[in-house]
Amino acid sequence: MTDKKREELLELAWRTAFDSATYKVLGDGSHAEDLMSEATEYIRNIDRSEWFPVARQILRENNYIDDHNLAEEAATIFINKKMDTTGLRVSFGGDW
C-alpha cells in the first residue's frame, strides 16, 4: 500500500470514527454504568491526536483492513486505554 493510499484510508477511518451519527460502546457485562457513560462521552468527543497514532499502528500491522474496521479497532484500543480497562468494544454505524 502506498503512503498516499494509507493516508486516504486513515482519513476515511477518522471520518467514520468522528462523524458517525450512531455509535455504541459495548462492555462485557463487568463494567459499571458510570464507566460506560463516561466511555461513551469520550467516544462522542474522540480526539484526532489520540486516535491517529493508534490507527497508524493498526494499519502498520494490517494493510488489508478496511476503513470501518480500522475506525472501530482504533477506537476500541483508544477507549480501553483511556478508561484503564479491558473488554470495552466500540461500534460505529458509519452513517455520516
Side-chain angles (χ1 to χ4, degrees):
M1 180 179 297
T2 67
D3 288 343
K4 182 179 178 186
K5 290 283 188 196
R6 186 172 284 115
E7 289 303 311
E8 288 172 358
L9 181 60
L10 283 166
E11 287 297 327
L12 281 172
W14 167 247
R15 185 164 179 196
T16 297
F18 186 73
D19 291 338
S20 281
T22 56
Y23 54 90
K24 293 178 188 171
V25 177
L26 308 165
D28 61 7
S30 67
H31 301 95
E33 277 298 312
D34 59 334
L35 182 124
M36 296 299 292
S37 294
E38 187 178 352
T40 299
E41 193 61 31
Y42 279 127
I43 292 301
R44 181 175 308 158
N45 299 302
I46 196 166
D47 185 79
R48 181 181 175 102
S49 66
E50 293 178 303
W51 180 89
F52 252 80
V54 176
R56 284 186 195 285
Q57 181 62 38
I58 292 168
L59 195 52
R60 269 188 235 118
E61 295 168 3
N62 183 357
N63 278 328
Y64 301 104
I65 194 167
D66 65 39
D67 59 305
H68 193 90
N69 285 325
L70 178 57
E72 289 181 340
E73 280 191 41
T76 294
I77 292 169
F78 162 82
I79 202 60
N80 279 294
K81 284 183 183 177
K82 188 81 167 175
M83 303 306 298
D84 193 27
T85 190
T86 59
L88 296 177
R89 188 172 57 85
V90 177
S91 174
F92 293 116
D95 47 353
W96 34 271

